[in-house]
Amino acid sequence: MPRLIVVSNRVADIHSSNAASSGGLAMAMAGALKEEGGVWLGWSGETSDDGDGPPQFSTVDNVTLAKIDLSRQHVEEYYNGYANRTLWPLFHHRTDLTSYEQSFSESYLDVNRTFAQAIRSFVKPDDVIWVQDYHLIPLGRELRALGIDNRIGFFLHIPWPARELFVTLPQHSDLVWSLFGYDLVGFQTEKDLTAFRDYFQTELKTQQDDEGLIDLFGRRLLARSYPISINPSEMAELSNTEAAANSFRRMREGNEECKILLGVDRIDYSKGLPNKFAAYNRFLERFPERRGTAKLLQIGQPSRSLVEEYQDLGEELMAEAGRINGRFGRLDWTPLSYHTQSYGRDALAGIYRAADACLVTPLRDGMNLVAKEFVAAQDPADPGVLLLSRFAGAAEQLTEAVFVNPYDKEQTAEAIVQAIDMPLDERQDRWRAMFDTISRSSLTAWKNNFMADLKNEDRPETPDRAEIYAF
Ligand code: F6P
């Protein structure tokens, strides 16, 4: 039976469904791999003084983890550098924060070659390889260069950028060319797919068909959208745990008369946290009669703390939370609680359920699984309201959320009022529609749809793979 080999920069603790969230990708892949079984290869998170290491294997049940240590220089230039100071800001349309350093792109290719060599050491002819995210775009091509002819798919967990911004990247054409090493390339949303196709249409004047096939000089690439999700039944189960009951009780105690607005985000500039604080501040200014009747609990999960922009953002949020509390707080009411400790997923399920509304307000986001987790964790009899940025990938599916433009603090402040005042029947109707969407388009469906297309024998082959190896 063919094995599934998943490759991603970060590898989660697959055997703990309760690990503190290390990002949507890691949690989603852990869920998908547990269902399918196979091998998960990624960076160990450790730095080595002796160059990149060989993979270290450990197996529990049906999943083998293969982890590689990376050299200090590669961690700095590939992970902190090209991944998180070049591609991440650029793909999130922050060209003002994007570094275009040649050494970063060289290390990025080096690490992709390290991963390719590691896969070659254990891959079997029938294995299906599924590469994840922007850290590893060139990996398919590197595998082809080593003569690996297996089915290889790629999924991008972040948005694909608008062409005008993407072409500012010195390696833009090389990166796109390298995608032709894959049999299938998946995006989160139709919007991302359209932006990707626009690059071919406008920049390269390429033939494309309605099925998603792109032809370029005899090479073929199938590109489609597959919105990632969660398994709602898993979130419902977590909501029934003791830890969830505890966090639910502690959230509600003393807040019987106070509406709880919740935010759960990695501390990342793409998440729009300063805008969220500004909108909340505006809500308190504009609606003084609401003071003391609502509070914002913002959980900020520390992220990429070796990158300067992330450190600066952490400081800014602490200071802003202090300013809001200093200005509006009273002896018996703290308007904004900002926590940076992490919570297990079971405790988080109780926190979601206890909240009256969740504010998911990224400036740009591939999908945003917090939005889906919040919906799945609600009590159907008394569900909370989802406030969702129109710039989150999830907005394409969760159309019954209350949409906000996070750049518009007036409109976001009004949406907070709308959420607080929303009658029970409207909350139930909106929740039911969103829950049904998530149930239909679950994490299992995402994985199955992608794998079915990747394994599809009828799909036209790239005419001459040798061209890709040589490229
Ligand atoms: O979802 C995008 C993503 O970059 C994932 O690849 C990653 O797991 C998550 O955000 C958290 O980022 P990092 O692994 O850099 O902490």
Side-chain angles (χ1 to χ4, degrees):
M1 169 140 164
R3 289 182 309 177
L4 171 64
I5 299 176
V6 167
V7 196
S8 61
N9 173 64
R10 194 178 283 281
V11 175
D13 177 3
I14 187 120
H15 306 297
S16 164
S17 63
N18 192 30
S21 179
S22 41
L25 181 156
M27 295 321 294
M29 292 327 298
L33 255 170
K34 269 195 271 184
E35 281 178 7
E36 194 91 2
V39 184
W40 190 357
L41 173 77
W43 174 36
S44 62
E46 301 296 326
T47 310
S48 146
D49 288 326
D50 313 318
D52 299 343
Q56 304 290 328
F57 296 94
S58 63
T59 303
V60 181
D61 302 330
N62 59 350
V63 180
T64 298
L65 296 183
K67 297 188 189 176
I68 297 176
D69 294 348
L70 292 178
S71 74
R72 205 168 294 285
Q73 184 187 354
H74 280 164
V75 171
E76 193 44 38
E77 294 177 348
Y78 145 80
Y79 175 67
N80 291 324
Y82 203 71
N84 289 330
R85 292 183 56 209
T86 304
L87 295 181
W88 180 272
L90 179 62
F91 281 38
H92 287 87
H93 289 179
R94 292 298 302 267
T95 39
D96 57 321
L97 301 180
T98 304
S99 291
Y100 300 88
E101 296 287 335
Q102 173 132 0
S103 60
F104 289 0
S105 65
E106 285 165 4
S107 280
Y108 180 70
L109 284 178
D110 284 350
V111 171
N112 273 269
R113 286 182 188 127
T114 297
F115 273 63
Q117 296 284 359
I119 293 167
R120 183 167 67 168
S121 70
F122 64 80
V123 69
K124 296 182 182 152
D126 279 348
D127 290 345
V128 174
I129 303 172
W130 192 4
V131 178
Q132 311 292 325
D133 227 356
Y134 60 102
H135 312 85
L136 299 171
I137 293 173
L139 180 56
R141 181 181 66 193
E142 297 306 326
L143 288 166
R144 299 298 184 211
L146 294 177
I148 292 171
D149 196 28
N150 299 47
R151 291 275 161 152
I152 312 179
F154 174 80
F155 187 81
L156 185 70
H157 291 255
I158 65 174
W160 184 265
R163 179 181 46 80
E164 294 88 335
L165 300 184
F166 184 53
V167 295
T168 65
L169 185 71
Q171 304 81 24
H172 66 90
S173 51
D174 186 61
L175 222 50
V176 167
W177 273 109
S178 70
L179 284 169
F180 280 79
Y182 295 107
D183 295 294
L184 174 64
V185 172
F187 296 94
Q188 295 275 26
T189 64
E190 285 298 313
K191 228 185 263 174
D192 296 321
L193 184 59
T194 305
F196 183 67
R197 289 169 71 96
D198 176 50
Y199 179 88
F200 286 93
Q201 201 146 339
T202 313
E203 189 73 16
L204 303 174
K205 318 272 182 263
T206 309
Q207 295 280 330
Q208 324 191 15
D209 76 2
D210 293 341
E211 294 296 302
L213 267 177
I214 301 174
D215 272 300
L216 197 58
F217 305 131
R219 293 173 198 149
R220 245 173 212 180
L221 168 71
L222 184 64
R224 291 199 174 149
S225 81
Y226 304 84
I228 201 167
S229 195
I230 58 163
N231 279 332
S233 53
E234 192 207 344
M235 197 31 79
E237 268 167 41
L238 288 171
S239 305
N240 289 325
T241 58
E242 206 179 313
N246 275 338
S247 58
F248 180 90
R249 198 188 55 250
R250 291 172 64 197
M251 287 267 291
R252 296 290 353 162
E253 254 166 20
N255 286 317
E256 291 75 12
E257 302 305 317
C258 195
K259 299 284 184 184
I260 301 178
L261 311 169
L262 175 69
V264 180
D265 301 272
R266 275 190 311 105
I267 302 175
D268 190 301
Y269 46 82
S270 66
K271 302 292 181 188
L273 286 162
N275 306 61
K276 192 190 297 191
F277 284 9
Y280 182 61
N281 183 74
R282 189 69 192 122
F283 158 77
L284 296 174
E285 271 173 356
R286 259 183 72 185
F287 305 101
E289 71 287 1
R290 305 271 177 173
R291 294 179 198 161
T293 68
K295 57 165 60 167
L296 173 61
L297 165 62
Q298 177 63 51
I299 297 172
Q301 296 153 335
S303 183
R304 305 174 191 164
S305 43
L306 293 177
V307 178
E308 201 181 319
E309 287 78 15
Y310 287 76
Q311 292 163 6
D312 293 349
L313 177 62
E315 298 291 316
E316 182 188 344
L317 293 171
M318 291 282 189
E320 195 46 36
R323 269 195 288 274
I324 291 176
N325 284 331
R327 181 169 170 205
F328 297 103
R330 301 191 307 227
L331 279 181
D332 58 350
W333 173 61
T334 303
L336 199 169
S337 303
Y338 174 53
H339 300 178
T340 58
Q341 59 266 54
S342 45
Y343 295 87
R345 294 188 81 227
D346 48 7
L348 210 47
I351 294 173
Y352 285 137
R353 208 176 174 105
D356 295 285
C358 190
L359 276 61
V360 179
T361 59
L363 304 178
R364 187 164 161 80
D365 209 337
M367 175 54 61
N368 199 300
L369 292 181
V370 167
K372 293 186 173 181
E373 287 184 346
F374 173 76
V375 171
Q378 294 309 296
D379 173 1
D382 186 19
V385 179
L386 177 64
L387 259 68
L388 182 61
S389 163
R390 53 177 297 173
F391 307 119
E396 236 174 52
Q397 291 182 295
L398 302 181
T399 49
E400 294 79 13
V402 173
F403 284 122
V404 296
N405 169 4
Y407 294 95
D408 183 348
K409 60 184 180 208
E410 302 295 337
Q411 187 257 329
T412 308
E414 286 158 18
I416 293 174
V417 173
Q418 184 187 350
I420 290 173
D421 292 346
M422 191 176 288
L424 177 62
D425 56 348
E426 184 181 347
R427 280 192 276 130
Q428 286 173 329
D429 289 350
R430 286 178 185 257
W431 174 81
R432 170 53 61 196
M434 291 191 284
F435 187 77
D436 287 349
T437 302
I438 296 171
S439 304
R440 271 196 313 275
S441 162
S442 64
L443 176 64
T444 304
W446 170 76
K447 179 205 67 186
N448 289 345
N449 291 339
F450 189 95
M451 292 308 285
D453 284 352
L454 181 57
K455 290 177 182 168
N456 185 359
E457 294 298 333
D458 301 335
R459 195 173 38 72
E461 282 290 328
T462 295
D464 184 0
R465 282 186 184 282
E467 282 190 47
I468 292 174
Y469 305 156
F471 177 71

